Amino acid sequence: MKPRDRLRIAMQKSGRLTEPALDLLNRCGLTFRQSRDKLFCFGEGEPVDLLLVRDDDIPGLIAQGVCELGIVGRNVLNEFKGGAGNGAAALTEWRSLGFGRCRLSVAVPQEMDYNEPKDLAGLRIATSYPGLLGIWLREQGVDASVITLAGSVEIAPKLGTADVICDLVQSGGTLVANQLRETDVLLQSEAVLAGPETLPTDERGDMVELLLKRLDGVIQVRESRLLLLQTSRTSLEAVTRLLPGGPQPTLLPVAGQPDQLMLQALCAGEVSWRQLEEIKKAGAREMFVLPVEKMLA
Ligand SMILES: Nc1ncnc2c1ncn2[C@@H]1O[C@H](COP(=O)(O)OP(=O)(O)OP(=O)(O)O)[C@@H](O)[C@H]1O
Ligand SMILES: O=P(O)(O)OC[C@H]1O[C@H](OP(=O)(O)OP(=O)(O)O)[C@H](O)[C@@H]1O
Ligand SMILES: [Mg+2]
C-alpha cells in the first residue's frame, strides 16, 4: 500500500451513527468537503479525510490499513475482533463516544419457561452476531445451534426458523412488538473510536494524538452543565451537599442582600428535575442549568 500523509477516518455512510459521528468530528474542528459520490470526503482544514461506508466494513478497513480510525458500534467492533476469527485482535477502542447506546441480548418468547442460560441447550438461536453469541455460549457451557441472519432477527421465532434470538436492544420496543422477553445481556454497546493498537509513527500518529486531545475536551464539555442558584447562608451547607459531582462551587455575594449567596457549580453530567427539586427543598431558588459550549481550564 502506498504511504499516505493524510489521516483517514471511516464512519457509517447512512444510519444511526452518521449524524452524531459527523457532529462530533465537526466539534473537534474537522470539516469536510462532500464529494459527489459521497464515499470519500476531503478534509478542509486539517489533513484528515473521511471514508463513508457500511458500518460492518469499518473494522476490516482499519485492519487492512485503508484507514487509521473508525467510528463504529462496540458490537460491530467486537464481533469482528472476537467473532470472525480473522486474527485481527490488534484493534482497540481509543475512546467511547457516548452515543448509539444499546445492548446485545438474548430474548425468548414471552411464554417460554426460561431460568438460566443452560435452558438454551439444543435450541436454535437466530442472530446477526454469531461470533459474540458463540463466545458467550461457550463461556456458559451451552450447546445450541446458531442461525445467522442479516436482519429482522426478532421475527424468526414467529416464523418458526429459530426458537430464541440474540439481537440489539435499546428501548425494548421491538422485543415487545414481537412478544419476546429479554433474558441475558451479552454486551453493553455504544459508538467507539476504533483504531489499531499501535498508531503510525509519522504525522498521522501526531494527528491522532491531537484529535484524541480535542475529543476529550469535546466529550467533557458535552457532559458538563453549569448550575446557577441562589441560597441563604444558612441553607448553604444543605444545598452544597446535594450538588452533583464536580469541582468546588464558586460563591458570589448578592448585592443588597447580605444573607444571600449566588452559587455557581460545574456539574460532571446531566442535572435531573428530581435533583433540582431536592436542591430547591434544601433552600435554593432562582436555579438555572446551562449547557457549556467551550471550556479551557
Ligand atoms: N435501536 C438502537 N438504538 C441505538 N443504537 C442502536 C440501535 N440499533 C443499533 N444501534 C447501534 O447503531 C449502530 C448502527 O445501526 P444501524 O441500524 O444504522 O446499522 P446498519 O443497519 O447495520 O447500517 P449499515 O447500512 O451501515 O450496515 C449499531 O451497530 C449499534 O451499535
Ligand atoms: O429496542 P429497540 O429500541 O426497539 O431497538 C432495537 C432494534 O433496533 C435495531 O433495529 P433497526 O431499527 O435498526 O432495524 P433493522 O436492524 O431491521 O435495520 C435492532 O436491530 C433492533 O431490532
Ligand atoms: Mg450494518
Side-chain angles (χ1 to χ4, degrees):
M1 200 167 296
K2 266 199 299 184
R4 281 183 286 113
D5 51 4
R6 294 178 66 86
L7 190 72
R8 270 191 205 151
I9 306 177
M11 56 168 267
Q12 197 183 19
K13 179 174 189 288
S14 155
R16 281 201 165 81
L17 305 183
T18 306
E19 220 188 279
L22 203 53
D23 179 62
L24 189 66
L25 294 176
N26 288 160
R27 282 171 196 274
C28 289
L30 304 182
T31 52
F32 305 93
R33 204 184 310 145
Q34 277 218 347
S35 59
R36 229 173 320 139
D37 63 6
K38 286 221 228 124
L39 299 178
F40 182 89
C41 300
F42 186 79
E44 291 178 318
E46 311 287 355
V48 182
D49 303 322
L50 267 192
L51 285 184
L52 300 180
V53 294
R54 289 281 309 269
D55 67 347
D56 317 67
D57 293 335
I58 293 174
L61 290 169
I62 303 171
Q64 291 166 44
V66 175
C67 54
E68 287 71 37
L69 296 172
I71 296 180
V72 67
R74 180 178 295 135
N75 48 310
V76 172
L77 178 67
N78 286 8
E79 176 69 18
F80 180 83
K81 275 172 49 162
N86 42 26
L91 296 192
T92 191
E93 285 183 22
W94 281 98
R95 291 296 182 275
S96 44
L97 303 176
F99 57 87
R101 285 209 169 95
C102 57
R103 50 198 189 272
L104 180 68
S105 295
V106 169
V108 307
Q110 270 162 10
E111 70 286 352
M112 184 177 140
D113 200 11
Y114 178 93
N115 297 309
E116 50 168 345
K118 294 251 180 311
D119 297 342
L120 297 171
L123 298 185
R124 298 163 302 163
I125 314 178
T127 190
S128 308
Y129 297 86
L132 292 176
L133 175 60
I135 292 172
W136 183 77
L137 288 172
R138 272 194 297 283
E139 280 167 10
Q140 303 295 324
V142 171
D143 192 12
S145 34
V146 175
I147 295 169
T148 307
L149 300 177
S152 305
V153 169
E154 290 94 342
I155 194 81
K158 225 180 273 171
L159 299 179
T161 52
D163 304 298
V164 304
I165 67 146
C166 171
D167 198 13
L168 298 180
V169 182
Q170 205 266 322
S171 65
T174 309
L175 293 185
V176 171
N178 289 284
Q179 287 97 47
L180 296 168
R181 164 168 76 89
E182 188 176 2
T183 55
D184 301 271
V185 178
L186 277 58
L187 175 77
Q188 292 288 354
S189 186
E190 65 185 285
V192 300
L193 182 73
E197 265 167 23
T198 339
L199 292 172
T201 47
D202 53 20
E203 293 94 334
R204 291 173 297 165
D206 299 342
M207 193 59 221
V208 173
E209 274 179 28
L210 181 76
L211 180 62
L212 290 178
K213 268 193 214 130
R214 289 190 189 177
L215 207 51
D216 289 340
V218 169
I219 292 170
Q220 196 189 358
V221 161
R222 191 182 58 195
E223 287 166 3
S224 298
R225 300 286 182 280
L226 189 67
L227 175 63
L228 300 177
L229 58 81
Q230 265 196 42
T231 175
S232 64
R233 286 181 191 274
T234 40
S235 306
L236 180 63
E237 206 197 315
V239 167
T240 311
R241 222 178 302 128
L242 292 172
L243 294 179
Q248 273 298 99
T250 312
L251 297 170
L252 304 163
V254 177
Q257 299 183 60
D259 176 47
Q260 292 291 309
L261 287 168
M262 165 100 188
L263 182 150
Q264 173 185 300
L266 189 68
C267 307
E270 215 25 273
V271 185
S272 70
W273 281 108
R274 190 154 294 176
Q275 281 172 309
L276 281 185
E277 283 151 6
E278 290 294 312
I279 298 170
K280 186 159 191 237
K281 261 192 232 154
R285 56 195 186 88
E286 303 289 335
M287 305 172 70
F288 295 90
V289 181
L290 308 175
V292 177
E293 195 180 297
K294 289 198 178 70
M295 203 156 78
L296 197 60

